[in-house]
Amino acid sequence: MLSMSASDETHTCLLQALDTIRNMGARGWEFRAATDLARFLAAEGRISDAEALLQPILDKFDEALDTEDLKIAGGVLP
């Protein structure tokens, strides 16, 4: 039996959390979970994956661009 690396396990957990939150329809929490996953992807050198994940979600929140969460998410993207 192959064990997952810590990185793979983290990625899987973040994806599962994001999927669960999306199914609940909780946009605010979806945004935070996506930001966490995008941060993880960026730290792994997967910048384009982080952008592809986070940008569409950021685009949904154009009405409140000055919130702390949006500033944090914006800092993840180059």
Side-chain angles (χ1 to χ4, degrees):
M1 178 177 176
L2 296 175
S3 65
M4 293 176 71
S5 71
S7 178
D8 290 341
E9 190 171 342
T10 300
H11 186 244
T12 298
C13 286
L14 289 168
L15 282 173
Q16 288 174 341
L18 184 56
D19 186 50
T20 299
I21 290 165
R22 282 180 173 159
N23 288 335
M24 291 171 37
R27 279 183 55 196
W29 287 109
E30 175 188 5
F31 178 75
R32 288 182 176 189
T35 300
D36 288 343
L37 180 53
R39 250 192 226 152
F40 171 80
L41 293 170
E44 294 278 305
R46 298 171 57 188
I47 304 299
S48 61
D49 290 339
E51 288 176 331
L53 170 71
L54 198 52
Q55 193 61 58
I57 295 169
L58 275 172
D59 292 344
K60 293 179 191 177
F61 286 88
D62 62 334
E63 71 276 359
L65 292 176
D66 61 343
T67 67
E68 192 63 29
D69 285 338
L70 288 170
K71 290 176 187 175
I72 290 168
V76 172
L77 300 177

